[in-house]
Amino acid sequence: ILRVLKRRFYNLHIFIYPVRVQGEYAASEIAQAIRDFNALDEKMDVLIVGRGGGSIEDLWAFNEEIVARAIFDSEIPIISAVGHERDWTISDFVADLRAPTPSAAAEMVVRKKAELEDIVVQLSRRLKLAIQGVVDKKRKIVEMYAGHYGLKRIQDLIPEKMQRIDELQMRMKNRITDLVNSRKEVLKTLAGSYGLKRIKELIPNKKQRIGELQARTIMKMTDLISNRRERLKYFIQHLNNLNPFSILSRGYSLSIDVETGKILKDSAQVKVGDKIRTKLFKGGFISRVEKIEKEGESRRLL
């Protein structure tokens, strides 16, 4: 294979993966070699899987399932070149292409370099002729329009238009200069007029007036804030007086029926044995009713 490849195209990049091609471990090594080539970052263009001739026993590794599956799963095209033309193996049927011999496989993979060079030369000539034809065609078109009256007229008009542009630029520059000078004179006139002087005299008075208004505003805002603060204190005090917990702080308590959760306002709401939760200003306790006193009796105790 190498001799044929070098003879046909000597500067090819060829990778060789040496494996056993017969014997007990031949099939696994062949399959692993195919998988290793597929795992490379730089993919090969084609793989030739083959060996020289031999008996059916010698070629049996290429009939093994592991080799057939490796060939089938390969992303790289594979040429099976096992034995002689009369020898057939399972790998021949699974591969992308079968070569009758390893030498024939090499000839299938690479054309002669001389043939490729001839093709390149022919294509170069055809490309050169095509480009030359396009160039000649475009040249004739340019020459035709170059002698046209309209194009000559345009060429004659270019200097005239350039001169016109220069004149317009000069006129624009002069116009802008005159306009700026005119505006300067107007500003000078306004600067010396009575109205402008009067405005300058009024500025200190207006500043003083603004200061007085600012001071009065601050005083009014201060009075308003003080008034609102006093009213807020009054409302806070009033709310504190209405707060039940504030009342508890003066020695009163709040009794709640444990079973119903209702606040007790009358001794008639409970009976002997009921549980009562008493809320004090700080903490509270749960008690049981042992005796019920009427309204008059409780006042005599107080």
Side-chain angles (χ1 to χ4, degrees):
I1 293 176
L2 293 177
R3 185 170 61 254
V4 173
L5 291 175
K6 289 181 179 180
R7 184 179 70 247
R8 295 175 70 85
F9 207 113
Y10 60 86
N11 51 349
L12 285 175
H13 294 285
I14 303 170
F15 293 86
I16 301 174
Y17 198 120
V19 297
R20 282 176 280 195
V21 293
Q22 67 183 58
E24 181 180 359
Y25 302 104
S28 60
E29 290 185 8
I30 295 169
Q32 185 61 45
I34 295 172
R35 288 192 291 266
D36 288 346
F37 273 122
N38 278 271
L40 293 175
D41 294 333
E42 182 182 359
K43 295 297 183 183
M44 304 294 106
D45 294 322
V46 65
L47 297 180
I48 298 176
V49 178
R51 58 154 290 166
S55 65
I56 186 64
E57 291 80 7
D58 295 338
L59 307 180
W60 194 257
F62 296 90
N63 287 322
E64 295 288 349
E65 180 181 356
I66 187 173
V67 175
R69 289 189 177 276
I71 294 174
F72 181 80
D73 294 335
S74 174
E75 296 179 359
I76 305 172
I78 292 180
I79 297 176
S80 176
V82 181
H84 300 297
E85 185 173 359
R86 66 178 182 276
D87 298 320
W88 286 82
T89 61
I90 293 177
S91 63
D92 294 332
F93 297 97
V94 183
D96 297 279
L97 185 65
R98 176 188 180 266
T101 62
S103 299
E107 293 177 354
M108 291 178 179
V109 169
V110 180
R111 299 180 66 173
K112 290 183 179 180
K113 187 175 183 180
E115 295 177 359
L116 296 175
E117 289 175 345
D118 291 340
I119 293 174
V120 172
V121 171
Q122 293 176 10
L123 292 175
S124 298
R125 290 174 181 173
R126 291 173 59 185
L127 181 61
K128 183 177 179 180
L129 291 174
I131 294 174
Q132 188 63 44
V134 173
V135 171
D136 292 341
K137 183 178 180 180
K138 299 301 181 183
R139 182 183 291 111
K140 291 180 180 179
I141 294 174
V142 171
E143 291 174 353
M144 180 182 67
Y145 282 110
H148 197 274
Y149 171 77
L151 185 60
K152 289 184 177 180
R153 177 58 181 162
I154 293 174
Q155 292 175 346
D156 295 338
L157 288 175
I158 290 176
E160 180 182 343
K161 297 301 180 183
M162 292 296 295
Q163 183 178 358
R164 177 62 176 166
I165 291 172
D166 293 338
E167 293 175 356
L168 291 175
Q169 287 180 339
M170 183 60 67
R171 290 176 59 185
M172 184 182 296
K173 182 178 179 181
N174 294 335
R175 177 59 179 164
I176 293 173
T177 302
D178 294 341
L179 185 61
V180 171
N181 293 333
S182 175
R183 293 294 184 267
K184 285 182 179 179
E185 293 298 327
V186 172
L187 289 175
K188 288 180 180 179
T189 303
L190 291 175
S193 65
Y194 171 78
L196 187 59
K197 291 181 179 179
R198 178 60 179 164
I199 291 173
K200 291 181 179 179
E201 293 174 356
L202 289 175
I203 289 175
N205 295 333
K206 296 302 180 182
K207 285 184 177 180
Q208 182 179 358
R209 178 61 176 165
I210 291 172
E212 293 174 356
L213 291 174
Q214 185 177 9
R216 290 173 59 185
T217 302
I218 292 173
M219 290 179 62
K220 286 185 176 294
M221 290 299 296
T222 303
D223 294 340
L224 182 62
I225 292 172
S226 299
N227 186 21
R228 292 290 187 270
R229 185 180 289 112
E230 292 299 326
R231 292 188 64 184
L232 181 61
K233 288 181 180 179
Y234 169 77
F235 286 126
I236 292 174
Q237 183 63 39
H238 188 62
L239 288 174
N240 287 333
N241 293 335
L242 296 176
N243 187 356
F245 293 102
S246 178
I247 296 173
L248 295 180
S249 66
R250 297 199 293 270
Y252 293 93
S253 63
L254 184 66
S255 296
I256 302 172
D257 190 329
V258 173
E259 184 176 353
T260 62
K262 294 182 178 180
I263 297 175
L264 300 178
K265 301 179 181 179
D266 191 341
S267 60
Q269 292 180 258
V270 297
K271 58 184 181 295
V272 175
D274 287 351
K275 285 185 178 181
I276 304 299
R277 177 181 286 108
T278 301
K279 173 65 178 175
L280 304 176
F281 178 66
K282 293 183 178 180
F285 57 87
I286 296 176
S287 59
R288 190 180 298 276
V289 177
E290 295 183 355
K291 180 181 179 182
I292 298 175
E293 297 177 347
K294 302 299 181 181
E295 183 178 358
E297 296 175 357
S298 60
R299 288 181 178 176
R300 285 196 299 272
L301 290 174
L302 293 173

